[in-house]
Amino acid sequence: MPTFTNHLPTAELQALDAAHHMHPFTTNADLAAKGVRVITRAKGVFLTDSDGNEILDAMAGLWCVNLGYGRPEMGQVAMRQMNELPYYNTFFQTTHLPGIALAKQLADLAPGSLNHVFFAGSGSEANDTNLRMVRVYWAQKGRPEKSHVISRMNAYHGSSVGSGSLGGMTPMHEQGGLPIPGIHHIGQPDWWAEGGDQTPEEFGLARAQELEAKILELGAEKVAAFIGEPVQGAGGVIVPPATYWPEIQRICKKYDVLLIADEVICGFGRTGNWFGSETMGITPDIMTIAKGLSSGYAPIGGSIVSDEIAEVIGACEFNHGYTYSGHPVCAAVALENLRIMQEEDLLSHIRDVAIPALKTALDGLGDHPLVGGVNISGLMASIQLTPHKESRAKFAAEGGAVGYICREHCFANNLVMRHVGDRMIISPPLVITPEEIDIFAKRAKQALDATYADLKEKEMLKAAS
Ligand SMILES: *Cc1c(COP(=O)(O)O)cnc(C)c1O
């Protein structure tokens, strides 16, 4: 059997990668010049690279490896399912055991009347499903003109043409003709960056009321759905003020607009409950799931929809689906992930152990001269870097330049912490222990100190005027 244990020297691997491998969301020419980091193994919350460095992964891969790396049960389940039934489709009057069991398990876990699952291979695909599903739903109810979807600026809902359009990322919209027609974006509930002199509560309400204004502008008879992440992830871990989501829910109800909660990051324990919707106190009509569903061990996503939507959609042939919808190996891996979460009562660990430890660690960083504030929801958090805490000032340098410098110092300190603009963000494996959180805090402090020294030397501590 081929093995990747005895590998080529790092420089040769980097050269091969640069020659043939195109990386997502990357300027590949720059990466080739710099040299990519090669990850060879991982266990728990630590990655190992091809030079033998042990790196604490405070991002759980891409917000997904909730169980941590190297759980042997997950591999065993995958192998068993591969041998039993590696693939079969669910299109033509057929189903399979992992598909049946996972749909039932998700219906049990999801709140309220969310009892039906349409599977996809990823979060992007699931949001494409949602876009078509809400339009078919209203068409089936005799209202085909109710087809517009409202989302938020700086939202992330995936990278396909549909889901990238639902998202509100300007750099994505600038390439390839996005967004497609019929999708509208209102302001995000980012008090730190955009709240001005308003209190967070006032600002949260005002941003939610932009939804009402947009619905009235378009005409409620034209608006099919609103989509939002309970806590924006890729946008920079933006925890909305407490006033935001209840107002959004009220407005959706008032105008008969379906509410889609994109739970791709928030789902499966990240915010301290099974779903972020529970943390925010809302009842969506559809939830998008992926990432933590399988802890990233296998690619799988889906849409969990209400009894009402399933009934309306179920009355017609919904001409939609993916070859890998409900892939049996991925479904079996997801089931095992959920089984382990329940058996080990991971939610109690998150609530009673990990969240308090992370709060303490982040409070400790709060006094650092570069740290303007910390946003935390469960086990996802952002650290806002600023040259001036009191005024929530931005740096004079181009947005993101300081965050990038800090990320490089994190990397040099064997810590994966991502930057979104000048925010440092974390979303560690949910199994992280207090001891590992201590290691995180030490490395983060070192990286912040090094960043501060670096900025001082480069005369970059200036605030934007
Ligand atoms: C990652 C992400 C997606 C897209 O999921 P993919 O599996 O990368 O297609 C959608 N929504 C949110 C909130 C995400 O974080």
Side-chain angles (χ1 to χ4, degrees):
M1 228 197 314
T3 153
F4 291 102
T5 313
N6 291 314
H7 56 72
L8 295 168
T10 301
E12 283 179 51
L13 292 169
Q14 288 172 329
L16 280 172
D17 192 80
H20 303 293
H21 186 180
M22 298 172 77
H23 292 254
F25 288 98
T26 297
T27 306
N28 280 278
D30 291 352
L31 179 65
K34 214 170 131 188
V36 71
R37 201 156 184 170
V38 184
I39 306 302
T40 52
R41 303 190 294 283
K43 186 80 191 161
V45 303
F46 290 99
L47 310 167
T48 304
D49 72 10
S50 53
D51 295 329
N53 295 304
E54 292 227 320
I55 308 153
L56 195 156
D57 183 8
M59 280 306 297
L62 277 179
W63 325 78
C64 55
V65 189
N66 291 353
L67 272 194
Y69 298 90
R71 296 291 304 235
E73 308 94 309
M74 300 284 274
Q76 284 152 10
V77 160
M79 188 167 83
R80 201 185 316 138
Q81 187 59 43
M82 283 244 180
N83 290 328
E84 196 80 16
L85 179 72
Y87 177 77
Y88 202 70
N89 76 75
T90 52
F91 284 25
F92 307 118
Q93 291 186 28
T94 52
T95 187
H96 46 64
L97 302 177
I100 296 169
L102 183 58
K104 158 82 169 118
Q105 172 72 311
L106 290 169
D108 287 349
L109 289 176
S113 73
L114 298 180
N115 288 318
H116 312 266
V117 187
F118 194 105
F119 286 113
S122 67
S124 302
E125 288 180 3
N127 277 326
D128 279 16
T129 298
N130 293 339
L131 181 57
R132 299 194 65 205
M133 188 141 62
V134 297
R135 288 174 169 172
V136 173
Y137 169 86
W138 288 115
Q140 281 292 106
K141 292 182 74 129
R143 304 176 68 179
E145 75 290 351
K146 204 164 161 68
S147 65
H148 291 247
V149 177
I150 300 174
S151 175
R152 288 135 7 130
M153 291 176 226
N154 199 35
Y156 189 76
H157 296 301
S159 193
S160 59
V161 173
S163 62
S165 296
L166 288 172
M169 298 269 167
T170 315
M172 292 177 69
H173 288 179
E174 281 164 357
Q175 296 174 330
L178 305 191
I180 55 173
I183 295 173
H184 311 267
H185 299 86
I186 59 172
Q188 57 176 334
D190 183 354
W191 175 78
W192 207 93
E194 300 174 5
D197 295 332
Q198 289 181 303
T199 64
E201 291 69 29
E202 289 166 349
F203 178 73
L205 265 188
R207 278 291 150 100
Q209 284 159 1
E210 286 186 21
L211 174 60
E212 187 155 26
K214 182 57 83 178
I215 291 171
L216 293 173
E217 176 196 324
L218 296 166
E221 70 287 356
K222 298 227 170 85
V223 181
F226 172 78
I227 183 169
E229 307 153 75
V231 177
Q232 280 157 274
V237 185
I238 294 157
V239 184
T243 47
Y244 181 77
W245 275 112
E247 182 69 359
I248 291 280
Q249 175 100 68
R250 182 190 71 77
I251 294 166
C252 286
K253 279 223 170 75
K254 179 171 175 192
Y255 296 99
D256 234 358
V257 166
L258 297 172
L259 174 56
I260 308 170
D262 186 337
E263 295 270 2
V264 170
I265 289 176
C266 294
F268 307 104
R270 178 60 56 194
T271 66
N273 290 296
W274 275 104
F275 296 97
S277 294
E278 296 164 283
T279 305
M280 297 297 151
I282 52 169
T283 316
D285 300 289
I286 300 179
M287 295 196 309
T288 320
I289 54 171
K291 293 195 171 114
L293 169 58
S294 65
S295 279
Y297 280 63
I300 183 166
S303 309
I304 314 183
V305 313
S306 68
D307 291 335
E308 223 265 314
I309 293 179
E311 193 186 323
V312 171
I313 296 289
C316 71
E317 180 173 348
F318 183 29
N319 297 312
H320 176 77
Y322 306 105
T323 300
Y324 300 134
S325 285
H327 190 288
V329 176
C330 303
V333 168
L335 269 171
E336 181 64 6
N337 176 57
L338 299 176
R339 189 194 67 73
I340 294 173
M341 282 187 72
Q342 286 181 316
E343 187 181 279
E344 298 184 357
D345 195 6
L346 193 52
L347 277 187
S348 294
H349 166 80
I350 297 164
R351 288 178 190 150
D352 304 339
V353 180
I355 293 175
L358 185 63
K359 281 204 167 120
T360 306
L362 291 174
D363 282 348
L365 296 176
D367 296 334
H368 195 279
L370 273 183
V371 175
V374 169
N375 250 316
I376 174 162
S377 178
L379 285 182
M380 60 199 292
S382 58
I383 302 168
Q384 181 72 50
L385 305 182
T386 177
H388 191 248
K389 287 179 204 259
E390 288 68 31
S391 61
R392 313 206 303 272
K394 298 184 174 69
F395 290 95
E398 194 190 337
V402 170
Y404 178 80
I405 290 173
C406 185
R407 192 196 69 175
E408 294 295 282
H409 285 295
C410 289
F411 241 48
N413 274 290
N414 287 330
L415 172 64
V416 175
M417 185 153 59
R418 201 168 132 186
H419 81 107
V420 174
D422 294 322
R423 274 191 181 123
M424 304 311 296
I425 59 178
I426 66 161
S427 168
L430 302 179
V431 295
I432 194 165
T433 64
E435 295 71 30
E436 289 160 345
I437 289 174
D438 281 346
I439 300 175
F440 157 77
K442 280 203 191 76
R443 292 185 186 177
K445 166 87 168 51
Q446 283 164 356
L448 285 168
D449 287 347
T451 304
Y452 189 78
D454 209 1
L455 294 178
K456 207 164 174 183
E457 194 186 304
K458 291 178 174 142
E459 297 185 7
M460 285 176 71
L461 282 169
K462 288 189 288 267
S465 47

